[in-house]
Structure formats: C-alpha cells, structure tokens
Amino acid sequence: MNNRKIIKGYKTLLSSKFNVNTSVDKFKDGIIYTLYSDEFNSIKVGFAENDKVLEKKLSSEALILLDMKKGKKKDLFLLITTLKELGIIKDKDNLYFKYSSSLMRHLSTLGWPIGRSLYKQRKIKKELVCA
C-alpha cells in the first residue's frame, strides 16, 4: 500500500499597492458631473460639494454641463483609478479627456452621468447648435 498524505494548501490573497485614503472627505455627499468643451472637443469629469460650486465652475469656464447626479468624491476617485487601469489616462490629476465614443461607452458602463445622446460626436455638435 502506498501511504500518501494529502496536504491541504491555502491560497493567500496578495494585496496590491493600492492606497486607499479613508478620510471623511471622500465620503462626503456632493455632485458628480460631466462637462463638455466644444472648443477643445473634450470631456471633463468632476466632483462639486454643492450646486453653487458647480455653477461657479460653469460660469468661469466655457464648458457645457452634460449631466450630473448625487455622488461622493470617492466615486470620482474610483472612476479615475479605473480609467487609469484601463489605460485611458496616464495622469490621474488631469480630469480632461479627448472626446471619443469608447470613452463615453466606458463612462456609461461605469455608471458615470454622461447624458443620453453622447455616443456620436455629430449629435453633440448638432445639439449645441440648436441650444
């Protein structure tokens, strides 16, 4: 007879080098938004503490509000981290992106507020002219 020992092994979970800032600031409620620049054909995502902060941003820059919803600063952090992992962005401090249908698809899939008709660049420009 062959005496075989069954060795039970346990898989260990390796932690990544992902630093999570658990400060209270990241969990504060506010507004997550998407802005569009017709001049540069770019998208800007962001977080504002309240309506007044967002209104100030809109009045100070030539940007058009595409969509917004209630959210947390953490949502923006997670979006930027995910887009970086997907290779869409290189610099996580830059919140401006060149408009593309694939970017809009990713934002939509990730639950980011982008508006309803932003998959085609022509449609954006047509809506801006009519507005």
Side-chain angles (χ1 to χ4, degrees), residues 24-30 47 49 71-74:
V24 176
D25 196 34
K26 290 220 185 256
F27 299 103
K28 187 176 180 183
D29 285 333
F47 172 83
E49 289 80 18
K72 299 180 186 301
K73 198 168 190 176
K74 178 182 171 187

Side-chain angles (χ1 to χ4, degrees), residues 47-91:
F47 172 83
E49 289 80 18
N50 55 44
D51 292 341
K52 291 179 184 178
V53 173
L54 184 55
E55 285 176 20
K56 185 177 177 183
K57 182 170 284 300
L58 286 169
S59 65
S60 67
E61 300 178 37
L63 298 170
I64 299 162
L65 179 65
L66 297 178
D67 202 3
M68 66 181 187
K69 71 178 185 179
K70 288 184 180 182
K72 299 180 186 301
K73 198 168 190 176
K74 178 182 171 187
D75 298 331
L76 178 61
F77 172 77
L78 292 172
L79 176 76
I80 298 302
T81 302
T82 304
L83 292 177
K84 188 174 180 183
E85 288 178 1
L86 290 171
I88 294 173
I89 60 172
K90 305 289 183 221
D91 180 16

Side-chain angles (χ1 to χ4, degrees), residues 5-11:
K5 288 185 179 180
I6 298 175
I7 301 172
K8 293 184 180 180
Y10 295 94
K11 293 184 180 180

Side-chain angles (χ1 to χ4, degrees), residues 90-106:
K90 305 289 183 221
D91 180 16
K92 68 178 183 178
D93 294 328
N94 185 4
L95 302 178
Y96 285 92
F97 308 101
K98 186 76 175 163
Y99 174 86
S100 72
S101 59
S102 91
L103 170 65
M104 300 311 284
R105 200 170 37 252
H106 284 303

